[in-house]
Amino acid sequence: MTRKEFLDLINSKIVLLDGATGSNLQKRGMPTGVCPEKWILENSRILIDLQKEYIASGSDILYAPTFSGNRIKLGEYGLADEIEDINRGLVRISKKAIEESNAEKNGRKVFVAGDLTMTGEQLYPVGSLQFEELVDIYKEQVAYMLMEGVDLFVIETMMSLSECRVALLAVKETCDLPVMITLTFEENLRTLNGTDPATAIMVLQNMGADAVGVNCSTGPEKMCELVKLMKEYATVPIAAKPNAGLPVLIESETVFDCGPEEFSLEAKKLVEAGASMVGGCCGTTPEHIHLLSREISSLKPHSISKNKKRALTTERNTLNIDLNGKFLIVGERINPTGKKKLQEELKAGNLDTVITMANEQIENGADILDINMGMNGIDEKDSMVNAVQEVAAISNVPLCIDSSYVSVIEAALRIYPGRALINSISLEKNKCEQLLSIAKKYGAMFILLPVSEKGLPKNIEEKKEIIQTIIHEAEKIGLTKEDIIVDGLVNTIGANKNAAKETVETIQYCKEELGVATIIGLSNISFGLPERQFINSTFLAFAVQAGLTMAIANPAQDLLMNTVYAADLLRGKEEGDIRYIHRVTSRPMVITGSKPVNRDEKGKSPSSSDNRNLIGENSENSLDSNPVYEAVIKGNKRNIVYLVKKTLEEGKAPSYILDYLLIPAINQVGILFDKQIYFLPQLISSAETMKLAIELLEPLLKKDEKEKHLGTIVLATVSGDIHDIGKNLVVLMLKNYGFRVIDLGKDVPSKKIIEVAEKEKADIIGLSALMTTTMLEMKEVIRLNKETGLNAKVIIGGAVITQSYADEIGADGYGKDAGETVMLAKKIMGL
């Protein structure tokens, strides 16, 4: 299937996908605890019959049952060496179903999608799995499915945008077949890793995904909002595969509460909301798909929007770049040129100053961070990759990748988990072609620098010619004007008295005639002149009025930043008044040669104590100023051991560090997580940081202090379930809070859980399940717990678990996430 054939299919009808596999196979005899892929191979007729039913119901695309057929997942069953036979065999089964159905249905065209999903391992720096290692894992599975002639690929049930990117790259670097990607979202309309729908589709469609959407997560009714949010940014088809509602327990059987009739009516609304492809996930049956086919048969296919949004993203947020919107600042500080301390640290492989600069620039108002590692004496590529990984992990603003070397830019873009900006692409023939190709591959925007191999343009006409040439070359490979930000090319006013006017003319030309965004390196205008900030800020005001979109500058320069906010206020930008007032009343302004000046809302200068609070100087007892506390909050794993040792050397007792620094810090992280300011990566990073600190302190604590704990908890992922990301985080958090935790791992038999709980005199048994096919094991553990006469309380959690399910099976509590589980455990223990 070519990408054109895929689009032709989308344009011809609402494409009907298939329904659930796992829950249907379980009803037809698949036991819990087995490897589903292996069981299907051994019972192929059951899968063939199920997929023939989906075809008869109207499905246009079948998902081959290769869902967990990657090396890591198969390895958990000891089947990694059978990966080729398993994947090839599973694709053959789906093709067999189509062959038999074609004989019965006169050859209606049905396609087979090779199915990929998450490995269960976390990518570095959150986990230990390296980027290229994961690319190879996906490529291996893709290659085996290609041998059997799959028509397209689907990457589904994804919780991590980073892993979506890896899987997409693996497919696109192996073949040219169409690729669909669907993510699963929580009730807060974000993935477990914190990605929102707009960010997901912006990143993936710009990297070349042929369709993006959502699956699993919820029933069709609640999925409509996710589809609508994607539709605002979509330039590719949207796919939606909801569950059949929520799982409930009826007569010891897990049943989904949305029947075929209700499902079909609600799923039709997904099409009306913007989905071009619909099907079913957990709990759906051929009957669900049959009735859905009937409901959508009269609906016309959606036209795919060509209105591309101009935006950059992190992994969790999207920054819209509006030609008529608020002015943006690209922070320029992360650059070793002229910074001796930073140069020394980079040579030593130390990124502390990089992280500090990133945080300071964000606090000072930077919207984007430029990262440049160009200096002698280091491996620039390695330094750039390390800096991008570290800054992306702690930053809520997009990154601008700044290097003279193509290979450095590509290495950074490859691992960046969002949509970045390239700084920059000029008209150097070979380099221009390479960088444009890289921008296209990784879905990046780029700064167009109007310079050719001959050097700087001699006049405005030559500058315009270069701009037009690069735009034309970009459009030839599928990039658009929304992917481009033109550098106004500022010269120094000291050498050219018309420098400011020429730049302003370029800005006006780009906005009014070409409709492209613009940027300038602001400080060039004042080079060689005294009191440069006055020239910079005045020139900035002129440029903003002419239509400038953003500037590369130092956001710590108060006069400059206040000019930016004042300019938005005077131009009537949305919330420009609120942002200006907040800016100038919440921080002191420093002007060269004068002392800090600031006014409160009544126009009076604040007292010295007020001023300390404004600029972040805290009292000696303030936790915010304590480096150990701050390290846990920010997930600073690199320095936590050093900081704890230093605090010990200063005379603080181990128990003081634990009780008054570490525990309050992890409590604050939990609050940030609850408020959706932090997401899974930050939560894991902070928990790992605290773990390192506790490992150092444990031998130093007094014996009676070491033996004191809040209670004993046995934790396990239930029998038949091999997912343990969420459970591992709960283990880490509970240990950090002072509980004694016995972690039994995943796929643990119910009897073993009870035996260990009895032996360890557990106060609480914690159970996790991510699959609807294994959640019934929780009820079995509760039954055995009562039969044995244990006094342990049983709490449950996992992606498919709800409070109502916990009530139905008689659990003592339901933990929605790690933070809530800790609070639940403390409540049970009367703390």
Side-chain angles (χ1 to χ4, degrees):
M1 186 183 201
T2 66
R3 299 178 75 184
K4 183 182 182 303
E5 288 172 330
F6 179 80
L7 278 177
D8 288 344
L9 177 64
I10 297 292
N11 291 329
S12 68
K13 61 181 294 188
I14 301 298
V15 176
L16 191 63
L17 306 171
D18 61 9
T21 298
S23 54
N24 285 297
L25 292 180
Q26 189 177 36
K27 288 178 181 178
R28 301 182 188 206
M30 185 176 75
T32 60
V34 301
C35 172
E37 289 77 18
K38 186 72 170 177
W39 186 88
I40 291 169
L41 285 175
E42 294 169 349
N43 300 271
S44 61
R45 175 44 56 183
I46 294 175
L47 192 280
I48 290 171
D49 290 343
L50 174 64
Q51 292 198 324
K52 284 174 67 178
E53 290 174 34
Y54 280 131
I55 294 170
S57 298
S59 294
D60 299 299
I61 297 176
L62 290 180
Y63 286 18
T66 53
F67 182 73
S68 296
N70 61 71
R71 178 168 292 277
I72 290 178
K73 286 291 187 186
L74 292 176
E76 292 170 347
Y77 293 103
L79 298 172
D81 290 344
E82 297 181 38
I83 184 171
E84 178 178 355
D85 292 340
I86 288 173
N87 279 277
R88 296 185 68 175
L90 293 172
V91 173
R92 285 197 296 268
I93 290 172
S94 291
K95 299 196 86 157
K96 178 69 172 174
I98 293 174
E99 288 172 10
E100 292 187 9
S101 294
N102 282 344
E104 298 167 5
K105 298 294 181 181
N106 300 317
R108 184 171 71 84
K109 185 66 173 174
V110 178
F111 300 93
V112 175
D115 195 347
L116 306 169
T117 193
M118 295 181 71
T119 63
E121 300 289 336
Q122 291 280 352
L123 268 175
Y124 180 86
V126 176
S128 59
L129 186 61
Q130 295 297 318
F131 189 95
E132 296 302 337
E133 181 183 358
L134 185 54
V135 171
D136 290 341
I137 286 168
Y138 281 127
K139 281 184 175 180
E140 178 183 33
Q141 189 182 6
V142 166
Y144 293 138
M145 287 188 272
L146 285 171
M147 291 178 183
E148 296 301 327
V150 291
D151 300 298
L152 71 160
F153 284 94
V154 59
I155 300 162
E156 63 153 320
T157 322
M158 303 298 282
M159 302 176 194
S160 163
L161 182 58
S162 293
E163 196 158 350
C164 287
R165 292 182 72 258
V166 175
L168 178 58
L169 284 170
V171 175
K172 292 184 72 64
E173 289 179 351
T174 308
C175 68
D176 195 34
L177 294 182
V179 189
M180 299 165 50
I181 305 178
T182 56
L183 299 92
T184 179
F185 293 84
E186 308 282 300
E187 287 183 9
N188 62 2
L189 303 182
R190 289 179 177 269
T191 67
L192 188 62
N193 278 29
T195 301
D196 63 282
T199 299
I201 199 162
M202 274 299 298
V203 170
L204 298 173
Q205 69 186 10
N206 279 294
M207 285 185 65
D210 297 279
V212 179
V214 56
N215 80 288
C216 205
S217 311
T218 180
E221 182 181 4
K222 292 183 179 179
M223 194 173 277
C224 276
E225 182 64 20
L226 294 165
V227 171
K228 289 176 183 177
L229 290 169
M230 283 191 172
K231 186 64 175 175
E232 289 182 29
Y233 288 81
T235 56
V236 295
I238 296 174
K241 241 186 167 214
N243 292 340
L246 295 171
V248 293
L249 192 65
I250 298 178
E251 296 180 356
S252 298
E253 183 180 357
T254 303
V255 178
F256 285 79
D257 64 4
C258 189
E261 189 72 39
E262 181 187 356
F263 177 87
S264 64
L265 293 172
E266 292 296 335
K268 179 182 179 181
K269 295 176 183 176
L270 291 170
V271 176
E272 295 167 346
S276 297
M277 313 174 79
V278 286
C281 203
C282 301
T284 56
T285 66
E287 181 65 10
H288 286 78
I289 301 305
H290 170 67
L291 294 184
L292 176 57
S293 176
R294 182 189 68 186
E295 287 298 324
I296 66 173
S297 60
S298 62
L299 299 180
K300 293 182 179 180
H302 292 284
S303 58
I304 307 303
S305 174
K306 294 182 180 179
N307 297 323
K308 193 171 185 179
K309 294 277 189 180
R310 185 181 285 107
L312 297 170
T313 83
T314 63
E315 185 175 8
R316 294 176 286 277
N317 292 297
T318 292
L319 174 69
N320 289 301
I321 302 171
D322 188 342
L323 294 186
N324 296 304
K326 78 164 194 168
F327 191 77
L328 303 174
I329 290 292
V330 181
E332 67 182 4
R333 295 286 295 150
I334 304 176
N335 186 327
T337 304
K339 301 181 183 74
K340 219 170 184 182
K341 180 183 178 184
L342 178 56
Q343 292 174 2
E344 291 172 357
E345 287 188 1
L346 292 179
K347 287 179 180 178
N350 185 339
L351 293 173
D352 288 350
T353 296
V354 169
I355 299 303
T356 299
M357 285 178 168
N359 285 322
E360 287 176 348
Q361 289 183 105
I362 293 169
E363 289 168 8
N364 287 329
D367 301 287
I368 301 163
L369 296 179
D370 186 89
I371 297 188
N372 185 314
M373 295 284 110
M375 60 172 281
N376 294 324
I378 64 170
D379 185 320
E380 185 179 340
K381 185 189 294 185
D382 285 349
S383 295
M384 176 65 84
V385 167
N386 292 336
V388 167
Q389 285 177 325
E390 294 289 341
V391 175
I394 60 96
S395 169
N396 60 353
V397 302
L399 301 187
C400 178
I401 310 302
D402 189 354
S403 176
S404 301
Y405 297 98
V406 174
S407 61
V408 173
I409 291 173
E410 179 167 21
L413 292 178
R414 190 168 178 82
I415 54 92
Y416 180 62
R419 188 181 196 215
L421 178 64
I422 297 173
N423 188 6
S424 55
I425 301 179
S426 63
L427 197 55
E428 298 176 66
K429 186 167 177 54
N430 292 333
K431 194 173 177 182
C432 179
E433 291 174 359
Q434 291 179 63
L435 285 173
L436 287 174
S437 176
I438 288 168
K440 176 67 175 173
K441 177 176 181 177
Y442 297 104
M445 293 182 68
F446 70 92
I447 295 174
L448 187 162
L449 184 65
V451 173
S452 70
E453 291 175 331
K454 299 175 184 177
L456 294 171
K458 298 182 181 66
N459 49 48
I460 188 69
E461 285 72 27
E462 186 178 346
K463 186 190 286 190
K464 290 178 180 179
E465 185 180 333
I466 294 171
I467 292 170
Q468 290 172 349
T469 301
I470 297 176
I471 291 175
H472 177 67
E473 291 298 315
E475 289 176 339
K476 282 200 308 189
I477 64 168
L479 295 169
T480 70
K481 63 182 181 181
E482 288 81 17
D483 300 316
I484 301 168
I485 302 173
V486 175
D487 191 326
L489 204 60
V490 178
N491 291 313
T492 175
I493 196 75
N496 176 7
K497 66 180 182 179
N498 293 317
K501 290 193 294 183
E502 290 172 357
T503 300
V504 166
E505 185 178 349
T506 303
I507 293 166
Q508 291 172 328
Y509 166 72
C510 288
K511 181 182 180 183
E512 296 169 10
E513 296 189 36
L514 300 180
V516 295
T518 50
I519 189 171
I520 57 173
L522 189 61
S523 59
N524 289 349
I525 193 71
S526 61
F527 182 77
L529 295 170
E531 297 292 3
R532 297 176 62 185
Q533 60 183 310
F534 294 108
I535 300 171
N536 292 347
S537 59
T538 304
F539 174 56
L540 178 62
F542 290 163
V544 169
Q545 177 59 22
L548 183 66
T549 314
M550 62 181 71
I552 301 174
N554 180 0
Q557 295 176 351
D558 293 318
L559 179 59
L560 183 72
M561 293 300 292
N562 287 354
T563 300
V564 168
Y565 285 79
D568 278 354
L569 167 67
L570 294 172
R571 294 186 302 152
K573 298 305 175 186
E574 187 176 355
E575 295 187 350
D577 50 355
I578 302 300
R579 288 186 286 112
Y580 172 79
I581 292 168
H582 175 74
R583 170 81 189 186
V584 299
T585 59
S586 65
R587 53 182 292 119
M589 186 175 81
V590 179
I591 299 177
T592 304
S594 64
K595 294 181 179 179
V597 177
N598 195 62
R599 304 285 174 184
D600 64 17
E601 60 275 15
K602 297 179 182 178
K604 298 178 181 179
S605 295
S607 66
S608 58
S609 60
D610 290 336
N611 198 47
R612 280 198 302 274
N613 288 331
L614 284 169
I615 62 176
E617 293 181 6
N618 300 286
S619 64
E620 186 179 359
N621 294 323
S622 171
L623 283 176
D624 289 338
S625 63
N626 184 279
V628 171
Y629 175 89
E630 186 179 1
V632 174
I633 294 290
K634 294 182 177 179
N636 185 356
K637 290 181 282 188
R638 300 181 314 280
N639 287 345
I640 187 63
V641 171
Y642 164 77
L643 293 171
V644 171
K645 286 180 178 179
K646 185 178 179 183
T647 305
L648 289 168
E649 290 170 0
E650 291 170 354
K652 298 294 185 184
S655 57
Y656 172 88
I657 296 172
L658 178 64
D659 295 337
Y660 294 98
L661 297 178
L662 296 177
I663 295 296
I666 206 66
N667 281 338
Q668 180 62 23
V669 169
I671 291 170
L672 293 171
F673 184 75
D674 289 340
K675 290 181 177 179
Q676 296 177 31
I677 296 171
Y678 271 20
F679 296 96
L680 182 65
Q682 294 106 315
L683 190 64
I684 292 176
S685 186
S686 290
E688 292 284 0
T689 301
M690 184 165 174
K691 178 184 176 184
L692 292 172
I694 289 176
E695 286 174 352
L696 174 65
L697 291 175
E698 270 188 330
L700 305 176
L701 293 167
K702 294 179 182 177
K703 190 172 186 294
D704 61 336
E705 289 176 331
K706 280 177 65 178
E707 291 178 352
K708 281 194 303 183
H709 54 77
L710 302 183
T712 298
I713 301 179
V714 170
L715 276 176
T717 299
V718 296
S719 178
D721 203 315
I722 58 173
H723 301 85
D724 64 354
I725 294 175
K727 186 267 298 173
N728 290 344
L729 181 57
V730 172
V731 169
L732 195 56
M733 293 289 284
L734 286 168
K735 284 183 176 179
N736 287 344
Y737 273 87
F739 286 93
R740 176 173 173 256
V741 181
I742 293 93
D743 179 10
L744 298 182
K746 56 197 172 187
D747 190 16
V748 185
S750 299
K751 287 184 179 179
K752 180 178 179 181
I753 295 172
I754 296 300
E755 289 170 1
V756 174
E758 187 174 25
K759 177 183 176 183
E760 299 292 340
K761 297 180 172 55
D763 301 292
I764 298 172
I765 296 171
L767 305 174
S768 174
L770 195 67
M771 300 162 62
T772 57
T773 54
T774 61
M775 55 196 289
L776 266 177
E777 287 295 322
M778 293 176 164
K779 186 180 180 183
E780 175 65 9
V781 174
I782 290 172
R783 184 187 69 79
L784 291 173
N785 183 48
K786 290 178 180 177
E787 258 186 24
T788 311
L790 292 177
N791 293 320
K793 301 292 185 181
V794 180
I795 61 177
I796 66 175
V800 295
I801 306 303
T802 62
Q803 181 63 59
S804 62
Y805 184 75
D807 296 338
E808 286 173 23
I809 66 174
D812 297 291
Y814 159 63
K816 181 180 178 183
D817 52 47
E820 197 172 290
T821 303
V822 170
M823 297 303 108
L824 176 61
K826 290 175 75 173
K827 183 179 179 181
I828 288 174
M829 298 304 298
L831 302 169

